[in-house]
């Protein structure tokens, strides 16, 4: 899907600070009810209708059959097939009566305070699935080109760095609205009162990461008031830097973000640094193998690796700078945004909730981890961040009186996420050192 520019509203000076969460990190097992207390804690317009949502109904068997037959009958290749379909449909209501009773009982019993489907959907449909998330689960968007980027890149940075900086600036704005609850909830319908839509999935959008585990994965979300950093992947290495103020979520000036992104590019080209395996590949395998790889990383790296993984997981989003890629066609770009293509699969961490991807020539897209969040919230996020061009963001950043001075230098602020683990990963007996 190609995302085009759309109108977007910006935060205002009255946007409140983030409310610190009761706990710094929450680990979800797929049941939205377990994290619903965060909706009450954050409050705001985003979660104002959560307790008034219509319940997901259990369709009657007769209604289901009535919809099924007109769809299926045209596919029958003979009168015998038509007769068989009609006969099977007539018998189905009696055959399925016990299962229907159990569904209704589930809706009115164990799941009376939620959707009867959501826990099955999140676990059986995603967290328990053992196939690789790449291709099988993850999805991607291809953003429209940004016509305000310069026709030729500046001498000191690529068009991809410029595009990434503007997307990060806008992502910080949207994160600010979500984290404070100031984003209006969505609603459908042409007539008032419109039907509100559930906002539960927004909690899993930022500072979030899927965690591979044997049999069934989990999903971690981190308190945004404690983490103002973003993760950057470049040439298969992972870096972190602050892109927003912790307490308020206010984005740092565009120029500061650009400098820090460019510093990531420079560090990725420095062969004098520690030699590290291409750890991003580990997130593209089947889930049990991913879980084994994570266990081996923690065994080999100990507390240093535990801290490094926490930094990566708690980053607001992951931005992938594919400085080796210059796609021209939509197909070329789509392969890069969906899987990393033939050359950039190492430059991903497919467990991160949101990966924004920018190529050297300024093409951009997004890859999403599907398990706890998809659909309209992600489309809304992408519409928002593509609704402001690089030129718009540059004007906004300068118009706010933003001073690029007074902030830590890129050399000080940008950190190599796994840099302190190099010796442990290179040690004899480490099972990931040959990647």
């Amino acid at each position: 899907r190609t995302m085009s520019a759309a109108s977007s509203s910006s935060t205002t000076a009255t946007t409140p600070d983030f409310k610190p969460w009761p706990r710094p990190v929450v680990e979800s097992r797929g049941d939205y009810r377990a994290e619903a207390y965060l909706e009450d804690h954050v409050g705001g317009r985003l979660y104002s209708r959560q307790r008034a949502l219509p319940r997901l109904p259990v369709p009657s068997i007769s209604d289901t059959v009535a919809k099924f037959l007109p769809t299926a009958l045209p596919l029958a290749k003979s009168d015998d097939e038509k007769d068989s379909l009609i006969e099977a449909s007539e018998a189905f209501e009696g055959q399925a009566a016990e299962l229907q009773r159990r569904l209704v009982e589930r809706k009115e019993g164990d799941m009376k305070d939620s959707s009867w489907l959501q826990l099955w959907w999140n676990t059986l449909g995603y967290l328990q699935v053992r196939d690789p998330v790449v291709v099988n689960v993850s999805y991607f968007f291809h953003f429209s080109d940004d016509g305000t980027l310069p026709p030729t890149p500046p001498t000191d940075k690529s068009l991809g760095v410029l595009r990434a900086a503007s997307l990060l600036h806008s992502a910080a704005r949207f994160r600010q609205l979500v984290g404070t609850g100031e984003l209006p909830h969505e609603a459908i319908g042409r007539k008032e009162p419109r039907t509100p839509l559930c906002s539960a999935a927004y909690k899993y959008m930022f500072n979030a990461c899927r965690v591979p585990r044997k049999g069934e994965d989990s999903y971690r979300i981190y308190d945004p008031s404690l983490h103002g950093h973003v993760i950057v992947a470049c040439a298969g290495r992972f870096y972190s830097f602050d892109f927003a103020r912790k307490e308020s979520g206010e984005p740092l000036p565009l120029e500061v973000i650009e400098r820090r992104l460019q510093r990531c590019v420079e560090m990725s080209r420095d062969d004098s640094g520690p030699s590290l395996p291409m750890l991003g590949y580990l997130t593209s395998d089947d889930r049990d193998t991913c879980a084994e790889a994570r266990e081996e990383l923690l065994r080999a790296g100990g507390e240093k690796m535990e801290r490094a993984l926490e930094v990566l997981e708690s980053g607001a989003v992951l931005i992938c700078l594919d400085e080796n890629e210059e796609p021209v066609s939509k197909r070329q770009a789509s392969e890069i945004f969906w899987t990393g293509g033939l050359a950039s699969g190492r430059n991903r961490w497919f467990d991160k909730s949101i990966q924004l991807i920018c190529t050297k020539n300024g093409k951009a897209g997004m890859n999403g981890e599907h398990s706890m969040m998809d659909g309209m919230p992600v489309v809304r996020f992408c519409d928002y961040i593509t609704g402001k061009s690089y030129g718009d963001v540059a004007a906004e950043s300068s118009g706010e009186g933003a001073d690029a001075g007074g902030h830590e230098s890129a050399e000080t602020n940008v950190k190599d996420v796994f840099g302190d683990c190099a010796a442990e990963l290179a040690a004899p007996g480490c099972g990931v050192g040959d990647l």
Side-chain angles (χ1 to χ4, degrees):
R1 174 172 179 167
T2 300
M3 308 295 297
S4 59
S7 61
S8 60
S9 60
S10 63
T11 53
T12 67
T14 58
T15 302
D17 287 353
F18 294 137
K19 292 180 182 177
W21 288 5
R23 288 183 285 170
V25 57
V26 176
E27 188 143 7
S28 175
R29 302 291 177 174
D31 191 341
Y32 285 144
R33 295 173 297 176
E35 293 83 49
Y37 70 93
L38 289 173
E39 299 166 9
D40 297 330
H41 178 75
V42 172
R45 292 183 291 174
L46 182 60
Y47 301 115
S48 62
R49 300 300 302 276
Q50 287 299 93
R51 297 187 182 278
L53 295 171
R55 299 283 306 285
L56 181 69
V58 176
S60 70
I61 298 177
S62 58
D63 285 347
T64 300
V65 171
K67 290 181 172 66
F68 168 75
L69 268 180
T71 303
L73 284 175
L75 302 178
K77 296 181 179 179
S78 66
D79 289 340
D80 286 343
E81 283 192 8
K82 289 183 180 179
D83 293 340
S84 294
L85 274 172
I86 293 171
E87 183 179 341
S89 297
E90 290 174 346
F92 183 72
E93 186 161 1
Q95 295 168 345
E98 174 60 20
L99 295 178
Q100 180 75 0
R101 185 192 67 78
R102 292 182 192 177
L103 275 181
V104 173
E105 187 179 82
R106 176 181 174 85
K107 175 178 180 288
E108 302 303 333
D110 291 344
M111 306 299 289
K112 63 183 179 181
D113 55 349
S114 186
S115 159
W116 60 266
L117 180 60
Q118 61 93 358
L119 181 56
W120 285 344
W121 188 273
N122 291 337
T123 55
L124 298 175
Y126 293 105
L127 295 176
Q128 291 179 14
V129 174
R130 300 293 86 191
D131 295 326
V133 296
V134 187
V135 176
N136 297 297
V137 178
S138 298
Y139 57 95
F140 77 97
F141 294 150
H142 176 189
F143 300 155
S144 296
D145 290 346
D146 187 339
T148 68
L149 291 173
T152 55
T155 57
D156 59 337
K157 58 181 73 75
S158 70
L159 294 179
V161 167
L162 301 184
R163 187 82 191 269
S166 67
L167 290 174
L168 278 179
H169 192 279
S170 294
R173 289 286 189 207
F174 193 81
R175 173 176 171 266
Q176 193 178 13
L177 290 170
V178 171
T180 60
E182 289 299 299
L183 186 73
H185 68 79
E186 295 179 281
I188 57 173
R190 296 182 179 180
K191 296 181 180 179
E192 298 293 343
R194 302 174 70 204
T195 302
L197 295 178
C198 181
S199 297
Y202 283 94
K203 299 191 301 296
Y204 309 92
M205 182 174 285
F206 299 109
N207 306 95
C209 195
R210 182 169 174 162
V211 179
R213 301 191 184 281
K214 292 287 188 68
E216 180 176 337
D217 294 350
S218 63
Y219 203 92
R220 286 180 180 170
I221 50 178
Y222 291 80
D223 181 352
S225 73
L226 300 177
H227 304 284
H229 68 283
V230 66
I231 303 299
V232 180
C234 192
R237 302 282 292 273
F238 296 90
Y239 307 95
S240 70
F241 67 74
D242 296 328
F243 83 124
R245 294 175 176 85
K246 285 184 181 179
E247 293 80 6
S248 67
E250 184 78 13
L252 298 184
L254 181 66
E255 185 179 347
V256 172
I257 298 175
E258 284 184 13
R259 289 176 183 171
R260 293 178 180 180
L261 285 168
Q262 182 57 29
R263 174 61 179 166
C264 295
V265 175
E266 294 165 358
M267 290 174 68
S268 73
R269 295 171 178 167
D270 184 2
D271 295 333
S272 64
S275 178
L276 288 166
M278 298 291 102
L279 298 179
Y281 282 135
L282 299 178
T283 65
S284 65
D285 216 325
D286 71 84
R287 301 310 297 171
D288 284 341
T289 301
C290 289
E292 292 171 357
R294 179 185 175 84
E295 291 171 2
E296 176 61 19
L297 285 175
L298 290 169
R299 185 202 66 78
E303 291 184 1
K304 290 181 180 179
M305 179 58 67
E306 188 173 354
R307 287 194 298 270
L309 288 173
E310 182 177 330
V311 169
L312 191 149
E313 292 170 0
S314 62
V317 297
L318 171 61
I319 188 115
C320 306
L321 293 178
D322 288 353
E323 290 285 289
N324 57 315
E325 303 280 12
E326 296 188 76
V328 176
S329 70
K330 288 184 178 180
R331 179 169 182 173
Q332 289 173 325
S334 295
E335 289 175 351
I336 293 168
F337 300 148
W338 193 18
T339 68
L342 296 177
S344 296
R346 64 178 185 168
N347 208 42
R348 305 286 184 270
W349 197 271
F350 286 105
D351 287 345
K352 278 298 285 182
S353 56
I354 291 175
Q355 295 186 100
L356 297 173
I357 305 163
C358 295
T359 63
K360 186 177 182 179
N361 59 348
K363 305 288 184 181
M366 176 260 184
N367 186 286
E369 201 291 307
H370 214 315
S371 56
M372 297 296 288
M373 175 195 66
D374 68 351
M376 295 179 69
V378 182
V379 172
R380 193 179 188 187
F381 166 69
C382 290
D383 278 344
Y384 185 97
I385 65 173
T386 58
K388 288 186 177 180
S389 66
Y390 175 79
D392 293 335
V393 174
E396 177 185 313
S397 186
S398 62
E400 293 166 347
D403 180 10
H407 297 275
E408 276 191 332
S409 67
E411 289 74 15
T412 301
N413 194 262
V414 178
K415 302 290 193 301
D416 187 329
V417 174
F418 296 105
D420 290 343
C421 306
E424 288 78 4
L425 293 177
C430 177
V432 296
D434 56 351
L435 287 174

